[in-house]
């Protein structure tokens, strides 16, 4: 097999499919040796370039741009009421918004075909799986730093805790959950609206995608991965299949406990503590998971008479953000920073452009894995870009 050096021309760079693919891949991967563990200069460069692409490729005000231009100023307005406002944070959010508007236009002008987008998702899932296997092999022989496969001697590294192609295992878990859900939705459309079965996922065409996906989710060392798998299981449960799917899930849970899989045990304990609604108990079970669950609980209990509820607390400093996981008073990110008004506008933005229906599995993923917040985190926008393309194909399918 010959492997040639890719020849990228100016024509390709201006090609809509190439640009749309570039946005998806860049927002679904964080290559630490090149991008670092903070704000990625590569992503910033791409988003800066999107302003130029906007004038070349977006000849009209699309829906994404309109709602984005309403959402961003509200965030700015809420932050400006505080004693301290870090404009770099607000500016960075604006870059995500304009980049998304460009991507939305590319998708809605036919950048992707359904078959191509399925191949793109398949390639991303396989890449995550292959890189994780390579990382596991390298760790087995005692090497903690090997930049070509995204190992940079990160502090959390162990054989049972590896990042694959993102910044950390929990990021990979979120992105892989979205990728697989998008993959299932697209296969369903390709099959004429017939839901994908578990059996179909192990047929030759999809077998390695499924195996590598499951291997990555089960062995990367993230409790979030088990939550993602639980959400994806809901896709397959119907009245006709419940009689065998529910027992299978029970057996998997019991087997996981018997094998003492630490991440599964964490997820179960946190779920049990969450059912009590006791914030201290959730925090005591797992501080990392609590940092994602407690804000949702606090948001549901917020006082609507307080100014901070509607306008937020503004952009926090880097030092404050670093200790956020230890606090038990924070609400979900967007409400904490910019307030309830920004949350309402962001939800209109999401359900006008990204997710087709409120009552769907994508909403659960957005709430539980993304904290229902469009903030300055690459994997949130990567996930939303995948959902946007799926929504587009669903709309096209409805139009015949």
């Amino acid at each position: 097999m010959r492997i040639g050096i890719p020849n990228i021309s100016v024509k390709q760079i201006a090609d809509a499919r190439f640009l749309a693919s570039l946005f998806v891949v860049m927002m679904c991967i964080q290559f630490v040796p090149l991008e670092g563990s903070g704000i990625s200069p590569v992503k910033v460069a791409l988003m800066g370039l999107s302003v130029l692409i906007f004038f070349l490729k977006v000849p009209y005000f699309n829906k994404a741009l309109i709602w984005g231009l309403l959402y961003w100023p509200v965030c700015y307005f809420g932050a400006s009421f505080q004693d301290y406002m870090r404009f770099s944070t607000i500016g960075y959010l604006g870059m995500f918004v304009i980049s998304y508007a460009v991507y939305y236009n590319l998708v809605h002008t036919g950048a992707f075909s359904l078959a191509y987008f399925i191949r793109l998702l398949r390639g991303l899932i396989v890449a995550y799986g292959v890189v994780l296997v390579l990382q596991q092999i390298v760790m087995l022989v005692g090497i903690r730093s090997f930049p070509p496969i995204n190992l940079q001697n990160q502090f959390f590294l162990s054989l049972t805790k590896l990042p694959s192609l993102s910044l950390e295992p929990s990021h990979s878990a979120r992105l892989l959950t979205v990728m697989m859900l998008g993959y299932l939705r697209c296969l369903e459309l390709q099959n004429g609206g017939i839901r994908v079965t578990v059996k179909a996922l192990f047929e030759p065409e999809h077998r390695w995608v499924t195996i590598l996906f499951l291997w990555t989710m089960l062995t990367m060392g993230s409790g979030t991965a088990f939550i993602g798998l639980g959400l994806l299981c809901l896709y397959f449960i119907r009245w006709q299949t419940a009689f065998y799917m529910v027992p299978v899930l029970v057996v998997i849970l019991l087997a996981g406990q018997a094998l003492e899989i630490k991440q599964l045990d964490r997820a179960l304990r946190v779920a049990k503590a969450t059912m009590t609604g006791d914030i201290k108990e959730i925090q005591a079970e797992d501080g990392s998971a609590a940092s994602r669950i407690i804000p949702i609980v606090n948001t549901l209990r917020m006082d609507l008479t307080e100014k901070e509820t509607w306008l937020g607390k503004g952009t926090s400093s880097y030092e404050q953000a670093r200790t956020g996981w230890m606090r038990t008073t924070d609400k979900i990110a967007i409400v904490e920073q910019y307030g309830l008004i920004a949350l309402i506008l962001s939800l209109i933005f999401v359900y006008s452009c990204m997710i087709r229906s409120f009552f769907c599995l994508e909403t659960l993923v957005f709430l539980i894995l993304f904290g229902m917040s469009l903030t300055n985190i690459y994997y949130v926008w990567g996930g939303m870009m995948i959902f946007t393309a799926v929504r587009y194909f669903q709309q096209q399918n409805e139009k015949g």
Side-chain angles (χ1 to χ4, degrees):
M1 182 176 67
R2 296 177 61 188
I3 300 176
I5 299 173
N7 183 19
I8 300 175
S9 64
V10 175
K11 183 178 179 181
Q12 282 180 300
I13 294 174
D15 178 69
R17 189 171 79 173
F18 174 83
L19 289 172
S21 302
L22 184 62
F23 275 111
V24 172
V25 172
M26 287 302 301
M27 294 303 174
C28 289
I29 286 176
Q30 180 94 347
F31 188 64
V32 177
L34 183 62
E35 301 184 66
S37 58
I39 295 175
S40 164
V42 178
K43 289 181 174 60
V44 169
L46 175 64
M47 290 191 291
L49 185 62
S50 68
V51 177
L52 174 61
I53 299 171
F54 174 80
F55 288 108
L56 295 175
K57 290 285 185 180
V58 185
Y60 58 89
F61 280 81
N62 60 43
K63 191 160 50 173
L65 183 63
I66 292 170
W67 286 114
L69 288 178
L70 288 173
Y71 167 60
W72 184 82
V74 166
C75 294
Y76 178 86
F77 178 77
S80 66
F81 270 83
Q82 312 306 320
D83 295 332
Y84 169 82
M85 182 179 77
R86 190 169 57 172
F87 186 77
S88 60
T89 301
I90 295 290
Y92 195 37
L93 178 62
M95 294 178 76
F96 277 113
V97 170
I98 195 70
S99 298
Y100 175 79
V102 171
Y103 170 80
Y104 179 91
N105 186 75
L106 292 170
V107 169
H108 280 258
T109 51
F112 294 139
S113 66
L114 179 60
Y116 174 82
F117 193 67
I118 290 173
R119 293 198 303 273
L120 179 62
L121 292 177
R122 183 187 292 134
L124 282 168
I125 294 170
V126 169
Y128 263 85
V130 169
V131 169
L132 181 72
V133 170
L134 292 174
Q135 288 175 344
Q136 290 168 337
I137 293 170
V138 167
M139 287 294 291
L140 271 173
V141 297
I143 300 173
R144 288 178 58 89
S145 183
F146 195 67
I149 56 171
N150 206 32
L151 285 184
Q152 192 79 353
N153 200 30
Q154 294 98 318
F155 72 92
F156 57 80
L157 290 183
S158 70
L159 187 59
T160 57
K161 198 167 185 68
L162 292 164
S164 188
L165 278 171
S166 76
L167 187 59
E168 60 179 69
S170 65
H171 294 191
S172 295
R174 290 174 172 87
L175 286 165
L176 281 166
T177 299
V178 174
M179 289 174 200
M180 181 52 78
L181 180 55
Y183 190 63
L184 293 171
R185 295 293 193 202
C186 290
L187 290 179
E188 183 181 324
L189 291 171
Q190 194 178 57
N191 295 338
I194 301 172
R195 282 190 170 271
V196 181
T197 63
V198 174
K199 180 182 177 182
L201 288 177
F202 286 92
E203 291 176 354
E205 185 181 357
H206 311 296
R207 184 179 298 152
W208 280 108
V209 177
T210 305
I211 291 171
L212 286 169
F213 169 76
L214 291 174
W215 177 262
T216 309
M217 295 290 276
L218 293 171
T219 67
M220 74 171 73
S222 170
T224 304
F226 287 93
I227 296 172
L229 285 171
L231 291 172
L232 287 173
C233 284
L234 298 177
Y235 174 89
F236 300 99
I237 296 177
R238 294 291 176 272
W239 290 113
Q240 303 92 324
T241 60
F243 75 96
Y244 68 83
M245 280 298 298
V246 172
V248 166
L249 290 175
V250 172
V251 169
I252 291 173
L253 291 174
L254 292 175
Q257 287 183 308
L259 293 171
E260 297 183 353
I261 298 176
K262 185 170 65 174
Q263 287 76 26
L264 175 59
D265 185 54
R266 281 175 54 199
L268 291 174
R269 285 190 287 106
V270 170
K272 183 179 178 181
T274 303
M275 296 298 289
T276 68
D278 188 331
I279 288 174
K280 290 183 179 179
E281 186 174 340
I282 300 170
Q283 179 78 13
E285 285 294 348
D286 190 312
S288 177
S291 67
R292 299 172 180 89
I293 295 170
I294 289 175
I296 297 174
V297 176
N298 288 337
T299 301
L300 294 173
R301 296 175 176 175
M302 59 189 171
D303 185 354
L304 297 178
T305 63
E306 293 183 356
K307 185 187 78 171
E308 284 183 350
T309 297
W310 296 96
L311 298 178
K313 297 179 181 178
T315 54
S316 60
S317 68
Y318 178 67
E319 290 73 19
Q320 289 175 314
R322 288 182 65 188
T323 59
W325 67 274
M326 295 187 293
R327 295 194 297 268
T328 58
T329 57
D330 286 1
K331 304 175 184 67
I332 62 174
I334 189 170
V335 175
E336 184 71 17
Q337 286 188 300
Y338 308 120
L340 191 57
I341 298 173
L343 172 64
I344 292 168
L345 268 175
S346 73
L347 291 179
I348 297 173
F349 188 9
V350 167
Y351 289 100
S352 296
C353 305
M354 306 172 191
I355 299 177
R356 182 164 160 265
S357 169
F358 182 79
F359 298 102
C360 64
L361 188 50
E362 285 82 349
T363 293
L364 286 178
V365 172
F366 182 44
L367 171 63
I368 297 172
L369 298 188
F370 294 163
M372 203 166 265
S373 296
L374 291 178
T375 52
N376 299 358
I377 304 177
Y378 72 98
Y379 65 73
V380 172
W381 292 94
M384 293 299 104
M385 285 178 178
I386 291 173
F387 283 156
T388 297
V390 172
R391 174 192 168 104
Y392 167 74
F393 293 127
Q394 290 170 333
Q395 291 175 327
Q396 295 303 303
N397 183 64
E398 287 177 354
K399 295 175 182 177

